[in-house]
Amino acid sequence: MASNQKLRDLEWLLQAFETESLNLHNISFYLSQPVSGCYQETENSMAINISSDCLEYFSLILIVLGPAKTSLLSLRNLEFHCAEWELEQVQNLGELLDSNLNIKQLVFMRNRFSEDCLSEFSDILKRNGAIKEVMFCESHIGTVGAIFLASALKVNESLEELQIWEDSIGSRGAEELSKMIEANSMLKLLTIFDSSSITATPLISAVLARNRGMEVHVWSGESGDKSSKVVEFTPQNTTLRIYKIDVSGACRVACALGMNSTVSSFDMTGVRLKSRWAKEFRWVLEQNRSLKEVTLSKTCLKDKGIVYVAAGLFKNRHLERLHLDGNWFSGVGLEHLLCPLSRFSALQCQANITLRSVTFGGSRTKIGRSGFAAILHMLTTNETLTRLAIVDDQSMRPDDFFRIFKSLEKNASLRCLSLQGCKGVRGERLLQAIMETLQINPWIEDIDLARTPLHNTGKADAIYHRLGQNGKPETEPENDLLKDMPLTEPKCCRVFFCGQEYAGKATLCNSISQNFSSPKLPYIEQVRTLVNPVEQAVRTVGMKIKTFKDEDTKISIWNLAGQHEFYSLHDLMFPGHGSASFFLIISSLFRKPSNREPKTPMEIEEDLQYWLRFIVSNSKRAVQQCMLPNVAVVLTHYDKVNQTSQNLEATVNSIQKLRDKFNGYVDFYPTVFTVDARSSASVSKLTHHIRKTSKTVLQRVPRVYQLCNDLIQILSDWRSENYNKPAMKWKEFAELCQVKVPPLRIRSRRDNKEKIETRRRAVATCLHHIGEVIYFDELGFLILDCEWFCGEVLSQLIKLEVRRQSSAENGFISRKELEKILRASLQSQIPGMGSKVFENLEANDLIKMMMKLELCYEQDPSDPNSLLLIPSILEEGRGKPQKWQLGGADCLYAGRHLQCDDSSHMFLTPGFFPRLQARFFPLSFTCRFMLLFRT
């Protein structure tokens, strides 16, 4: 009676399917059960139990489900538990799947398949285009099943997930699945739980080699051990983590990584590696363009392996973070590791400039003296590393860490230093050194001293307080707003031609221009151009700028005027902190180009020393000196010199003395260039030096916002579209950003407009620092043509004859009078001729620019009609010491003697005097001061 009741239950199920009275999403079959029957687990889920004596109902149900029925169109998932499949049943399943394309998931738990059944199931997958997920768990499909599945999935274009749990597909099965991965681009998830870890190697290698966006998880439980993960790859976060693999398998994975573009983070922590693998990984570092982070912690790498890794870093241009803590290398390996991050001469480029973070250390890492020296040298010369972690070190002493912190006083790139667990971080002397370093170096943001003696004794609290880690950080609002703006290497470099008048700077610039414009000079260009004495005597007036293109690098030559009346402007043209620039000091071997009267070695030495002191003085004034100024010396009119001249030999000796004297203040190029400035052939080596040095400087200076490089071309296009306008209003710049620059675009009325405006100002300021524009926040406009501004505006302003055109007395003039003088001086009387300054700028704009550049000062800043002081136009300032023309009993004179502390290397530049004079000049007319200057 009980048996009849069970049969009735299954009969009822068959009738329900026939009458379409059920609306199911999931059906689970449980075979080899003690009792047959069915029950609904949920409203849309049905569990069907079939005993061994009722197996015919299994086939009947599959047959009944086969024809398309409206009530079964919602069926999505089928599960089969403990089924021992026969060929006919597999065929019935195939008919069901062919007729109902809404079924997306098949799960086989503890099933058994014959080879024929697996072959039939393979055929089903080949023709089915609806199934998304198939899972086998403890179904013993083995190598044969893996081969059939691989064959099917080479053709199938719908399956997205394949999972094989608690099985052993063997190395051959894994190889066949790897071939499937090479052909199948639709599979999104592959999970394998195998008895052997060797199956992971071919699978993950195929995924990496073919750049598949497939999530991979491989587990193993060898020799009855507890199951453990072997490898996982998650394309969502582009992370590859290998937990267990043999050396040959690791080498195969490394080979697959070489040209991979889907992995950005590679982690092999705890995997025992050898130098054979490191040799393969060197090729990965040289070829791969997507890896950003590599973690090789506790991998037992020794010196030879680290040498291979270091060799790869020399050519790598993409890796940003490298973790090597817990390995077994010594100071020899560390020397090689830090070599690509260091420079060993002033002219050498740092080999690797993309790596930002390095971690090493551990109880079995023996840094030693050689390793410690390499750390110091790297910290002294590296200009790109932002994070250094030395963890759990046992070998370095407190004095070593003392010297490390002292070396950080001049490091402008490092932001974070971690010394976790280092036993040598202890003592009052070291604590004092850290505090002093933080006072000098404001760029360090974080020092991690966890588990060090200094931290354990509570003495590190003062350091954390100094860093602001225990309180709310008082960061600048702009910094927070600009953090997500990407940085890149600048592409513009400035070359400053410094020298006295008649040195041949303009002629030299023209000859270099010919070399840039024509790499292969025709014969006529190799012959020295004949210039008559009259042409030689003509001076280039004012500052000139000439721009060249060398591949993707823009090189601009800024010819600083040699006339004394322009010296007060030189400070204004000096490059800002971090700007890509270098200097050529040019001196003629003769007093005048029209005669053959040679300069004495003392005269040449005085010429060079003036400009060297000028460069050093302004470099010290820069906000952050990230590198020493690069300087080369050029001697012109060499074609007139007798090769046996004793003067020439004495000149060379005097230049050598200057090189020794200014060692440590400038980066002095060892070669002195002797040229005929008129000859393109004569200046070819100098042109090569400019090209090479430009690339070197661009690699060493701080990075700039990526938007700067983009905006250079955008601004150039804007000028072409706007009649080559040399200046633009801030409003025009904002409109250009809104249209052409998505990152600087206000996207809705609810956007934070102040944030976008801050970004725009930051990018404009960056363009100003690299010399592409002239921009100051308060002025409301940008100068796009620096040559126009220097040549037609500044050079005219410095020569204003105010006394002849106004009643100005003692340098004071009203704003209206100055505007009138500016219009009269800068506007041509002939229509269509001369300067077009006022087509682009207002007179008031020029006055604001003069005040910003400190060419003039307001007597009373609170009074809008205040008189303006222009020190540089004082009549006595034209070639004479400046003094106030005052007299009378009510006048009191006081003298001041000023000089630099290091007057042998620096001086108070000509541009300093009028500024200081204006600062000291009293607002009251009852008392006057006269300044006596000595340089």
Side-chain angles (χ1 to χ4, degrees):
M1 190 69 170
S3 178
N4 290 337
Q5 180 63 37
K6 294 171 187 175
L7 291 175
R8 190 164 53 246
D9 290 340
L10 294 180
E11 289 289 347
W12 171 85
L13 179 63
L14 291 172
Q15 185 176 0
F17 285 149
E18 289 289 352
T19 58
E20 303 186 21
S21 59
L22 296 175
N23 182 23
L24 300 176
H25 294 171
N26 308 298
I27 298 179
S28 300
F29 293 90
Y30 295 87
L31 282 77
S32 301
Q33 299 299 306
V35 178
S36 296
C38 64
Y39 63 93
Q40 283 191 259
E41 297 175 310
T42 65
E43 182 181 354
N44 302 115
S45 299
M46 175 72 73
I48 302 174
N49 295 337
I50 301 177
S51 63
S52 299
D53 55 346
C54 297
L55 290 177
E56 65 274 9
Y57 279 94
F58 183 38
S59 297
L60 284 174
I61 294 172
L62 292 176
I63 292 172
V64 171
L65 291 175
K69 296 181 174 62
T70 304
S71 63
L72 295 177
L73 291 179
S74 60
L75 188 60
R76 297 288 183 269
N77 307 316
L78 293 177
E79 292 186 14
F80 303 95
H81 298 259
C82 303
E84 295 187 7
W85 292 85
E86 296 179 358
L87 181 60
E88 183 180 357
Q89 294 169 338
V90 178
Q91 291 171 345
N92 293 335
L93 176 62
E95 293 172 1
L96 167 60
L97 297 176
D98 291 341
S99 61
N100 191 339
L101 297 180
N102 291 316
I103 298 175
K104 304 299 181 184
Q105 183 185 53
L106 295 177
V107 178
F108 301 95
M109 305 285 288
R110 297 176 182 171
N111 285 228
R112 293 295 182 270
F113 297 90
S114 66
E115 186 172 337
D116 291 336
C117 290
L118 290 171
S119 176
E120 180 64 27
F121 186 72
S122 173
D123 293 337
I124 294 172
L125 289 179
K126 287 179 180 179
R127 65 177 183 264
N128 187 280
I131 297 175
K132 299 296 184 184
E133 180 180 350
V134 174
M135 183 176 75
F136 294 92
C137 182
E138 299 182 66
S139 295
H140 298 282
I141 63 172
T143 300
V144 174
I147 293 173
F148 280 121
L149 286 174
S151 174
L153 294 183
K154 287 179 181 179
V155 179
N156 183 284
E157 295 183 352
S158 65
L159 194 70
E160 295 180 355
E161 296 184 16
L162 175 62
Q163 301 185 51
I164 303 175
W165 290 83
E166 300 290 349
D167 206 337
S168 179
I169 62 175
S171 58
R172 186 186 172 194
E175 292 291 349
E176 291 298 324
L177 285 177
S178 70
K179 296 176 183 177
M180 174 273 294
I181 292 171
E182 294 179 2
N184 187 309
S185 61
M186 298 302 297
L187 203 61
K188 303 301 181 188
L189 173 65
L190 177 62
T191 302
I192 305 290
F193 194 135
D194 202 278
S195 59
S196 174
S197 61
I198 62 172
T199 57
T201 299
L203 298 176
I204 193 62
S205 298
V207 170
L208 299 177
R210 299 294 291 179
N211 290 314
R212 299 301 186 203
M214 181 191 303
E215 187 173 346
V216 179
H217 300 273
V218 180
W219 298 71
S220 75
E222 294 178 322
S223 304
D225 292 341
K226 185 179 179 180
S227 61
S228 60
K229 205 160 197 177
V230 179
V231 65
E232 66 177 359
F233 172 56
T234 51
Q236 293 81 4
N237 57 14
T238 62
T239 299
L240 173 61
R241 175 74 166 95
I242 296 179
Y243 298 86
K244 184 179 181 182
I245 197 171
D246 58 17
V247 175
S248 60
C251 291
R252 182 171 175 178
V253 171
C255 291
L257 266 176
M259 304 304 292
N260 176 270
S261 62
T262 59
V263 178
S264 66
S265 178
F266 180 43
D267 189 346
M268 295 190 73
T269 299
V271 177
R272 193 180 184 107
L273 299 172
K274 295 186 177 181
S275 58
R276 180 159 63 99
W277 173 86
K279 186 176 182 180
E280 296 291 340
F281 191 66
R282 169 189 177 175
W283 180 79
V284 175
L285 291 174
E286 292 179 352
Q287 301 294 324
N288 188 282
R289 296 175 177 268
S290 65
L291 275 178
K292 302 296 183 185
E293 181 172 12
V294 171
T295 304
L296 302 176
S297 303
K298 302 176 182 178
T299 54
C300 307
L301 282 174
K302 299 181 181 179
D303 286 335
K304 187 175 181 180
I306 295 298
V307 168
Y308 282 124
V309 173
L313 292 177
F314 273 97
K315 293 186 178 180
N316 185 279
R317 294 294 179 269
H318 303 276
L319 190 67
E320 297 178 359
R321 298 176 294 279
L322 177 62
H323 305 271
L324 290 167
D325 51 301
N327 284 283
W328 299 356
F329 57 90
S330 67
V332 174
L334 187 57
E335 276 188 285
H336 285 81
L337 177 65
L338 300 182
C339 185
L341 302 175
S342 307
R343 290 188 300 114
F344 297 91
S345 72
L347 297 178
Q348 181 191 17
C349 295
Q350 184 178 309
N352 186 301
I353 59 173
T354 56
L355 194 62
R356 296 288 180 263
S357 174
V358 175
T359 303
F360 56 85
S363 59
R364 300 193 64 172
T365 301
K366 307 302 181 185
I367 293 178
R369 295 296 91 193
S370 58
F372 169 68
I375 294 173
L376 281 184
H377 186 77
M378 186 273 293
L379 290 175
T380 303
T381 61
N382 181 276
E383 297 173 348
T384 58
L385 201 68
T386 60
R387 184 181 186 276
L388 174 65
I390 306 174
V391 299
D392 297 316
D393 176 72
Q394 312 292 320
S395 61
M396 287 196 292
R397 301 166 297 190
D399 185 61
D400 298 332
F401 289 104
F402 175 87
R403 294 175 63 187
I404 285 175
F405 277 99
K406 282 298 180 183
S407 69
L408 288 176
E409 290 182 354
K410 296 183 179 180
N411 187 300
S413 64
L414 199 69
R415 298 293 182 268
C416 176
L417 176 64
S418 176
L419 300 174
Q420 282 193 30
C422 293
K423 301 301 182 184
V425 181
R426 64 179 187 270
E428 289 294 333
R429 183 167 178 260
L430 177 58
L431 175 61
Q432 185 64 29
I434 296 175
M435 297 300 292
E436 291 175 358
T437 298
L438 292 179
Q439 288 180 348
I440 297 172
N441 187 336
W443 310 114
I444 299 177
E445 299 172 359
D446 182 30
I447 298 177
D448 188 354
L449 302 178
R451 298 185 289 107
T452 63
L454 209 59
H455 176 86
N456 295 338
T457 57
K459 295 181 179 180
D461 292 343
I463 299 172
Y464 298 142
H465 179 74
R466 178 74 185 180
L467 290 166
Q469 293 180 347
N470 295 335
K472 188 175 181 179
E474 298 179 359
T475 56
E476 291 290 335
E478 281 196 2
N479 292 344
D480 292 336
L481 299 175
L482 305 176
K483 277 184 178 178
D484 60 338
M485 292 178 65
L487 300 174
T488 187
E489 183 179 295
K491 295 184 179 180
C492 308
C493 186
R494 286 185 284 178
V495 187
F496 288 88
F497 278 20
C498 307
Q500 311 295 340
E501 55 189 341
Y502 299 117
K505 299 187 295 297
T507 305
L508 182 63
C509 186
N510 292 333
S511 297
I512 291 173
S513 175
Q514 293 178 6
N515 282 344
F516 269 101
S517 60
S518 179
K520 295 182 178 179
L521 294 173
Y523 175 77
I524 191 64
E525 291 293 345
Q526 299 179 37
V527 180
R528 184 180 59 198
T529 305
L530 297 178
V531 182
N532 62 51
V534 176
E535 291 176 307
Q536 289 182 339
V538 175
R539 298 188 302 172
T540 300
V541 179
M543 286 169 283
K544 302 295 181 182
I545 301 174
K546 197 174 281 286
T547 302
F548 314 99
K549 200 74 173 172
D550 182 26
E551 298 177 350
D552 62 341
T553 302
K554 178 182 176 182
I555 302 174
S556 58
I557 294 179
W558 292 53
N559 182 358
L560 299 183
Q563 296 83 15
H564 284 274
E565 58 263 37
F566 291 100
Y567 277 24
S568 61
L569 292 180
H570 289 166
D571 291 357
L572 309 177
M573 299 299 106
F574 197 87
H577 63 281
S579 174
S581 58
F582 59 99
F583 301 85
L584 295 183
I585 302 179
I586 302 164
S587 180
S588 174
L589 291 167
F590 293 84
R591 291 188 177 126
K592 291 287 180 69
S594 57
N595 58 45
R596 292 181 175 271
E597 185 179 0
K599 287 183 181 178
T600 65
M602 182 62 69
E603 289 176 311
I604 295 176
E605 182 178 348
E606 287 177 357
D607 285 354
L608 300 180
Q609 185 162 242
Y610 170 87
W611 290 106
L612 286 169
R613 293 173 71 196
F614 166 79
I615 293 169
V616 172
S617 300
N618 278 286
S619 298
K620 294 293 184 181
R621 186 169 58 90
V623 177
Q624 177 65 30
Q625 188 180 2
C626 63
M627 55 182 279
L628 293 178
N630 190 297
V631 176
V633 172
V634 181
L635 300 179
T636 58
H637 301 102
Y638 181 68
D639 54 302
K640 302 177 182 179
V641 176
N642 185 350
Q643 299 298 321
T644 60
S645 171
Q646 294 181 351
N647 272 0
L648 183 62
E649 183 178 351
T651 299
V652 172
N653 293 334
S654 66
I655 294 176
Q656 180 59 46
K657 292 178 182 178
L658 286 176
R659 182 181 293 113
D660 297 336
K661 178 179 179 179
F662 285 87
N663 183 33
Y665 292 87
V666 298
D667 188 353
F668 218 128
Y669 191 67
T671 301
V672 176
F673 295 93
T674 53
V675 301
D676 174 7
R678 300 168 298 171
S679 169
S680 298
S682 177
V683 301
S684 60
K685 291 184 179 180
L686 179 60
T687 305
H688 176 74
H689 168 75
I690 292 174
R691 282 194 169 108
K692 181 180 177 182
T693 306
S694 297
K695 295 184 182 300
T696 301
V697 169
L698 287 172
Q699 292 176 343
R700 293 171 56 187
V701 297
R703 296 194 299 172
V704 299
Y705 296 121
Q706 173 65 49
L707 288 176
C708 290
N709 288 339
D710 301 336
L711 268 169
I712 291 172
Q713 184 59 47
I714 292 174
L715 290 172
S716 176
D717 295 340
W718 182 88
R719 288 195 64 197
S720 301
E721 297 167 3
N722 290 272
Y723 308 101
N724 213 30
K725 287 181 65 174
M728 72 188 309
K729 299 290 185 182
W730 180 256
K731 182 181 178 181
E732 294 174 316
F733 180 75
E735 291 173 351
L736 184 66
C737 292
Q738 185 70 20
V739 176
K740 297 287 188 180
V741 190
L744 300 180
R745 181 179 297 162
I746 300 174
R747 301 184 180 276
S748 72
R749 290 192 301 270
R750 296 186 178 181
D751 272 0
N752 187 339
K753 295 182 180 180
E754 291 182 0
K755 175 181 177 180
I756 301 300
E757 195 70 8
T758 299
R759 287 172 175 262
R760 292 171 178 172
R761 288 197 299 268
V763 172
T765 302
C766 187
L767 288 170
H768 172 85
H769 284 317
I770 64 177
E772 283 300 311
V773 303
I774 296 175
Y775 165 75
F776 298 101
D777 282 349
E778 304 89 340
L779 302 185
F781 61 88
L782 292 86
I783 302 297
L784 306 182
D785 190 340
C786 297
E787 181 178 7
W788 167 82
F789 185 72
C790 293
E792 294 193 31
V793 181
L794 286 184
S795 62
Q796 299 299 319
L797 291 178
I798 201 67
K799 296 187 297 182
L800 285 178
E801 296 290 344
V802 177
R803 292 180 66 90
R804 296 182 182 179
Q805 304 181 51
S806 73
S807 58
E809 182 179 1
N810 296 329
F812 284 97
I813 187 172
S814 70
R815 188 182 295 265
K816 287 186 178 180
E817 274 192 289
L818 181 57
E819 289 182 5
K820 181 180 178 181
I821 293 170
L822 288 173
R823 290 191 182 95
S825 301
L826 301 181
Q827 201 166 34
S828 174
Q829 302 300 318
I830 304 174
M833 298 294 288
S835 173
K836 298 182 179 180
V837 174
F838 292 103
E839 292 181 11
N840 301 283
L841 295 174
E842 299 291 338
N844 189 49
D845 291 336
L846 288 177
I847 293 176
K848 289 193 294 183
M849 175 65 80
M850 290 174 66
M851 292 171 60
K852 186 64 183 178
L853 297 177
E854 296 187 30
L855 295 177
C856 70
Y857 302 84
E858 289 179 303
Q859 182 185 16
D860 183 5
S862 62
D863 181 7
N865 298 316
S866 170
L867 292 176
L868 300 175
L869 172 66
I870 310 179
S872 62
I873 63 173
L874 290 169
E875 195 69 22
E876 288 71 24
R878 303 286 174 86
K880 305 175 184 178
Q882 296 183 10
K883 61 182 180 179
W884 302 109
Q885 293 296 312
L886 300 172
D890 60 335
C891 296
L892 177 66
Y893 294 87
R896 299 287 182 94
H897 176 83
L898 302 177
Q899 69 176 24
C900 295
D901 288 338
D902 185 6
S903 58
S904 63
H905 298 97
M906 294 183 290
F907 61 6
L908 302 176
T909 61
F912 169 82
F913 298 136
R915 291 169 175 78
L916 187 66
Q917 197 167 38
R919 299 293 185 189
F920 275 44
F921 191 83
L923 300 181
S924 169
F925 286 89
T926 59
C927 182
R928 305 297 192 211
F929 291 93
M930 180 178 70
L931 303 177
L932 304 176
F933 300 109
R934 171 181 164 187
T935 59

